[in-house]
Amino acid sequence: MVKPTIILSAAAMASCAYAFAPQQLMSRNNNLIVSSTTAMQATTSSRRDLFIRAGSTALVTLTTSTINSSPAFAAGTAPPTEAEIERIKVGYKNIQYLLANWEQETTVCRENGGECKRDADAVRRYLGLRSTTDPLFQIEKVFAKVKYMDDIDVDKLEQFFEATENWNTAMNMSNSMAFISQFGEYNPGGGKDEVLKYLNEAEIQVNLAEKALKIILDCVNSSPQ
């Protein structure tokens, strides 16, 4: 870009040389000034257009990114996949196994015939509260998709929603009772009796969770895959 000071200097030099220079030289200098001024205007206009185009592109990109990243856009209305439904089935079978083998699954023995003690950690594992690889880990997200399944039995939807609420309540209570049981022996006034007390409470809640999950699974199975 030609600086204005250079243009002014050139104009001043051209004026001073007017009396001494031939008309051809003066004309040439005037053309230089006009050409420089035109170039500066063209450059300014070009940059202005560039900024406008860049701003428009950035706005479109920002708008598109905002729409694509919004929760509503990301969530959509997709039904659960076959793999997600299989997680419910596997999780239900695991809970049935836990209840059928409650004492065995909630008892931990030291190696080489050491002391055995009751441990509620298995309860949290079977409910999907210990690892991201557990079948029932954050299974509530799968429940939320069930209403979008094709040809779902609408007569069962009310029962389904009630069952999901019961599942959440029983799962949270089971988690709390199991957690308290794990530390019942070390709390003031605690001991093995306290461990067993809260472990039994956890079993009651797991039974409720199993019943709720059965209703959920029946609703899912009522829709053809």
Side-chain angles (χ1 to χ4, degrees):
M1 175 181 177
V2 181
K3 294 183 178 180
T5 53
I6 297 178
I7 298 173
L8 294 175
S9 299
M13 292 174 62
S15 299
C16 293
Y18 177 83
F20 304 98
Q23 185 65 28
Q24 184 178 3
L25 179 60
M26 180 183 68
S27 177
R28 186 178 300 169
N29 286 335
N30 287 337
N31 289 338
L32 174 62
I33 295 172
V34 172
S35 298
S36 299
T37 303
T38 303
M40 180 179 68
Q41 292 174 345
T43 302
T44 303
S45 176
S46 176
R47 289 186 176 181
R48 186 184 301 113
D49 292 341
L50 178 62
F51 288 141
I52 291 174
R53 287 197 297 270
S56 299
T57 302
L59 179 60
V60 172
T61 302
L62 178 61
T63 303
T64 304
S65 299
T66 302
I67 293 174
N68 290 340
S69 61
S70 64
F73 185 90
T77 56
T81 64
E82 291 184 7
E84 288 174 328
I85 293 176
E86 186 63 23
R87 286 174 53 198
I88 301 177
K89 295 178 180 179
V90 172
Y92 177 68
K93 291 180 180 178
N94 288 347
I95 289 180
Q96 285 186 309
Y97 178 84
L98 170 64
L99 291 171
N101 301 274
W102 182 262
E103 186 170 351
Q104 172 187 318
E105 291 298 303
T106 58
T107 301
V108 176
C109 299
R110 294 181 180 178
E111 296 180 358
N112 302 321
E115 179 187 7
C116 296
K117 65 177 183 178
R118 302 301 295 274
D119 190 339
D121 187 59
V123 176
R124 304 176 68 210
R125 185 174 68 253
Y126 276 96
L127 291 174
L129 300 169
R130 294 291 291 162
S131 172
T132 57
T133 60
D134 293 334
L136 295 178
F137 176 75
Q138 294 185 351
I139 200 65
E140 297 80 10
K141 293 182 179 180
V142 179
F143 295 162
K145 296 181 179 181
V146 170
K147 59 180 176 288
Y148 299 119
M149 295 177 67
D150 294 334
D151 301 323
I152 193 167
D153 189 347
V154 293
D155 293 332
K156 291 186 176 182
L157 279 180
E158 184 176 353
Q159 193 178 21
F160 167 78
F161 290 127
E162 182 179 355
T164 58
E165 292 179 2
N166 292 339
W167 161 265
N168 289 331
T169 300
M171 186 266 294
N172 288 327
M173 288 297 295
S174 299
N175 184 34
S176 298
M177 296 299 101
F179 185 82
I180 295 173
S181 175
Q182 284 185 281
F183 296 95
E185 190 173 352
Y186 308 102
N187 291 333
K192 293 182 178 181
D193 290 341
E194 287 294 301
V195 171
L196 188 58
K197 170 186 174 181
Y198 288 104
L199 188 58
N200 290 338
E201 290 292 332
E203 184 179 11
I204 293 173
Q205 296 301 321
V206 172
N207 270 289
L208 295 176
E210 185 268 342
K211 292 179 181 178
L213 197 58
K214 183 178 186 302
I215 294 174
I216 293 171
L217 196 54
D218 287 344
C219 185
V220 170
N221 288 334
S222 69
S223 178
Q225 304 301 313

